Every structure is written in structure tokens, then in C-alpha cells.
Amino acid sequence: MKKPKWVVQKEQDKKADAAQTVWLFGLHAVRDALMNPNREKLQLMVTPNAQAKLEDAIAEAGIAPEVVDPRKFRPPLDPNSVHQGAVLEVKPLNWGGLEDVAIGDTAPRLLLLDRVTDPHNVGAILRSAEVLGASAVIGTKHHSAPETGALAKTASGALERQPYLRVRNLADAIRALQGMGYLVLGLDGEATQTIETAVEGRRDRPVALVLGAEGPGLREKTRETVDALVRIDAAGGFGSLNVSNAAAIALYASRVGG
């Protein structure tokens, strides 16, 4: 009996995920990955200078680095990448499924990203999520930034500590969160109510904030699925915020402490 197309696709995706590796670069990103016991490390390339700076982290990881003369240091990266003489090949982190990161805290906060593809934006969002106590950042399997060296460098270590999941279907994830008791709010500059208004009297509930890509914003399907559309309470008279800035302000506005 022939397998349905969706089963074949799922099996192919699983194989591709198993084979995927990521090249992290830069002293900060490489150090944090080396110090992360949950990160599977495959290959470390360093210049002598970078090796000296990472000596403690290399010892902690128990990995034997390939030490390369700076003049011959040509890692498999975009030539414009600022690697600082350190690159590390790793497997992507496995944070489990939606339930693993959405359940646990008294009143968790999640960030959902609707087709936010720029790795620098996602990296900055991960930093804000870690600082402001979000339980996880959730994107989509396709049409969202995967783990990359550029994302890790912008995240400045947060990628190793802040759960970042990519789900197959965002609308399904929103409905699943609603089934867990989440109040799911979609950010829209034209919305009539602010985040503070929407969470007033409900700050003890789990809240998920959905942000769209700059320009297109939330997709129609996403807008239809969320519980309410909200905007950031702003003075007005200026352009829209960068999505990473909007994510930080939205998290702060929704916080439990009010």
C-alpha cells in the first residue's frame, strides 16, 4: 500500500532534521554553546588567539579543537561573518513539543512569530524573551528563521538558554494554546484596544503574544484564530516599531506584575 503524501513528507522532514547541523561563530556564541551540556557539539575550529580566550569553555566541553593558523582560517561560513577566530559545528537544540514549554510556570508568557524570517530579528527577540522571562519563542517550521550562526550571534547566548520551537502550523498551535487556557493576543497597529486593556484583570492567566513580520503583519488566518487583536499603547504620530522592539515592549506590558 502506497504511503500518503503527508506521511512521506513527514518522514523526509524527520530525516532532514536528523542530518541538519549548524555552524555557530563568534567568541560569545561559541563559548555559550561549549558551556551548554544539552548542546551536541561536533567540530570546533579556532585560531591560537581564540583558543586561549576559550580555554576554560573548551576544557568544560571536553572537545579537542582544530587549531588553525589565522592566515589559513577559512571556515564554512559566509565570508562576511565576523567569526573572531572561533567556529563550532553543532546539532540544533531539541526543546521538545509545545506542551513541554507552555505548561509549568504560574502564568507563563509566550511569543509566537508569524513568518518572522530575519535571523537578526529572531536573535534579538530571543534576548528580550530571556531577559523578560518568556517561557518560549515559537515560530513556524517553514517561513521562519531557523537556527543559524547569525541568529545565535545576535541572540548573544540566549539561543542556548531560551526555548525556541518551530511548529508545523501556527493556527493549530494557537488553538492548542487556547485549549490549555492561554489568552492569545495578536499585535496589530490598527487594533482598538491596548495590550494592558486586554490583560486587565487577567494577568494571572497564561498569555501568548503573536507578532507578524514587519510590513505584512499578521496573516489573515492568524488574525481570525487569536482571541483578540491588540496594539502597543504609544504616543502616535510615528512609524511602526521594529518587530524585536515590539516583542520586548509587548512582553513587558503583559507581565504578571502589571
Side-chain angles (χ1 to χ4, degrees):
M1 182 179 172
K2 193 175 180 182
K3 291 180 182 178
K5 282 185 179 179
W6 69 269
V7 172
V8 174
Q9 185 62 52
K10 195 171 182 180
E11 289 176 351
Q12 288 174 345
D13 288 349
K14 197 170 182 180
K15 283 181 183 176
D17 287 346
Q20 185 186 359
T21 67
V22 181
W23 281 95
L24 304 179
F25 59 87
L27 291 170
H28 197 156
V30 169
R31 172 182 289 280
D32 282 309
L34 287 171
M35 300 292 282
N36 183 1
N38 296 319
R39 175 71 86 171
E40 187 179 345
K41 308 152 192 81
L42 304 174
Q43 182 182 357
L44 174 64
M45 295 170 61
V46 289
T47 61
N49 186 42
Q51 181 187 24
K53 290 178 178 177
L54 295 170
E55 187 176 7
D56 58 332
I58 293 170
E60 177 77 20
I63 189 170
E66 179 187 348
V67 185
V68 185
D69 185 297
R71 293 164 296 186
K72 299 176 182 176
F73 195 81
R74 294 180 182 83
L77 301 173
D78 182 297
N80 296 318
S81 301
V82 183
H83 54 67
Q84 299 172 296
V87 297
L88 176 66
E89 186 183 19
V90 297
K91 288 280 193 181
L93 286 165
N94 179 10
W95 292 103
L98 191 63
E99 296 80 5
D100 298 308
V101 296
I103 297 174
D105 290 346
T106 307
R109 296 293 184 261
L110 298 177
L111 286 174
L112 276 63
L113 307 180
D114 189 5
R115 298 199 174 199
V116 179
T117 57
D118 186 327
H120 299 96
N121 275 334
V122 176
I125 288 168
L126 286 168
R127 288 184 73 177
S128 297
E130 181 183 22
V131 170
L132 295 168
S135 295
V137 176
I138 298 163
T140 49
K141 198 78 174 172
H142 305 288
H143 310 295
S144 73
E147 270 193 52
T148 62
L151 187 153
K153 197 165 194 301
T154 309
S156 193
L159 181 62
E160 302 302 320
R161 300 177 293 271
Q162 178 64 46
Y164 177 46
L165 275 66
R166 293 165 69 218
V167 296
R168 196 168 297 279
N169 184 289
L170 195 66
D172 287 349
I174 290 170
R175 284 189 282 266
L177 290 171
Q178 289 165 333
M180 295 179 210
Y182 270 80
L183 174 66
V184 184
L185 305 174
L187 265 73
D188 184 330
E190 303 300 316
T192 55
Q193 66 173 330
T194 65
I195 298 168
E196 290 88 346
T197 303
V199 299
E200 192 59 45
R202 298 188 280 186
R203 289 182 185 273
D204 58 342
R205 276 187 63 181
V207 174
L209 300 157
V210 192
L211 295 100
E214 289 168 45
L218 299 176
R219 287 174 295 161
E220 192 59 39
K221 181 70 173 174
T222 306
R223 295 166 63 89
E224 291 169 0
T225 312
V226 299
D227 292 309
L229 294 173
V230 295
R231 60 178 169 80
I232 289 170
D233 191 10
F238 58 88
S240 61
L241 285 164
N242 169 283
V243 67
S244 61
N245 292 332
I249 294 169
L251 264 179
Y252 187 77
S254 74
R255 71 198 191 286
V256 178

